[in-house]
Amino acid sequence: MSEPVGGEDDAAGTRRHSRGELTAEVRAAQQGDEQAFRVLYRTLTPELLRYAGVIVGQDAEDVVAEAWLQVARDVMRFDGDGPAFRRFALAVTRNRARDLVRRRRRRVPEVTVPWDELPESRDPLTGGVPDVAETAGARFSAQEVLELIGTLPEPQAEAVVLRVLLDLDTKGAAQVLGKRPGAVAMALSRGLKRLAHLVERPAETAAVRR
């Protein structure tokens, strides 16, 4: 799907809107305002690409294009505010990505690591996101961090992306994933432990990145 055509006004409008302040644009888009839909598209597409990229890799652009086609069809029936629309777009993207994974008929293999060898992490429900995310961000480029996250089992990778990179709370991530908050918290904790294992062991991390 090609990006909607727009000029300087589109870019300025995008800068004025954070991803959590899109309610007015959602309402306007539902009334047929194409400019408002462009704002939604340009604001949300970068993080949809990051999320899809962790699940399907280089096919992320195709997945996001399919997702926006569905979003455009369903926007009139959508009922919610800007943050809810963001979760909706993420959920549609997830569904399209999982459809592609099923078509590929393959799964990302898990790397078995004994739990007693993994560093402890804070409770993601009560103690915030562990420092491993900041450590990874300090040592690797954004693309390398995404590649590392992509080596995690899919439920863990999705939880890490939604909670750490896209800054959804546990409840919001659970709504996108269609799971209970407790299951998302557990996947996040395990994913961050595995990520810490990779970050703290340069030789293994280099092997993954190759």
Side-chain angles (χ1 to χ4, degrees):
M1 177 179 180
S2 61
E3 183 178 338
V5 177
E8 294 181 359
D9 290 343
D10 291 340
T14 301
R15 287 194 295 270
R16 289 196 298 269
H17 295 83
S18 74
R19 61 195 181 197
E21 301 173 342
L22 296 172
T23 301
E25 281 64 39
V26 172
R27 299 285 184 267
Q30 290 177 317
Q31 298 299 318
D33 188 330
E34 294 183 4
Q35 170 70 12
F37 193 84
R38 281 196 289 268
V39 171
L40 294 173
Y41 179 95
R42 293 190 172 188
T43 301
L44 296 178
T45 290
E47 62 185 28
L48 298 185
L49 287 170
R50 294 174 75 185
Y51 182 33
V54 168
I55 304 174
V56 300
Q58 62 184 5
D59 293 319
E61 289 189 1
D62 291 339
V63 165
V64 172
E66 291 182 10
W68 275 114
L69 287 174
Q70 180 177 338
V71 169
R73 289 194 300 265
D74 294 347
V75 66
M76 299 300 182
R77 296 194 297 271
F78 172 76
D79 183 16
D81 58 10
F85 183 84
R86 179 187 178 221
R87 294 192 297 271
F88 164 65
L90 285 165
V92 171
T93 300
R94 178 178 188 262
N95 290 337
R96 297 289 71 76
R98 289 177 66 83
D99 286 345
L100 177 58
V101 170
R102 283 192 288 269
R103 291 197 296 270
R104 289 174 173 174
R105 297 182 180 278
R106 73 180 184 219
R107 296 177 61 87
V108 176
E110 289 197 25
V111 178
T112 302
V113 179
W115 293 116
D116 57 2
E117 294 183 9
L118 296 172
E120 291 298 321
S121 63
R122 288 174 284 173
D123 185 337
L125 281 176
T126 60
V129 174
D131 293 336
V132 62
E134 296 180 5
T135 302
R139 295 186 183 181
F140 305 105
S141 69
Q143 182 58 40
E144 288 172 333
V145 171
L146 285 173
E147 290 174 359
L148 285 177
I149 294 173
T151 68
L152 302 175
E154 187 174 300
Q156 297 173 19
E158 291 190 68
V160 171
V161 169
L162 291 174
R163 288 282 286 112
V164 179
L165 298 187
L166 302 187
D167 200 29
L168 287 178
D169 59 21
T170 302
K171 182 178 179 181
Q175 291 174 340
V176 171
L177 297 174
K179 298 180 179 179
R180 294 181 179 179
V184 174
M186 181 175 294
L188 174 66
S189 179
R190 291 178 174 176
L192 288 171
K193 286 180 180 179
R194 289 179 183 274
L195 186 60
H197 176 78
L198 292 173
V199 169
E200 295 302 327
R201 289 163 174 76
E204 295 182 24
T205 300
V208 169
R209 288 159 63 189
R210 285 198 299 269

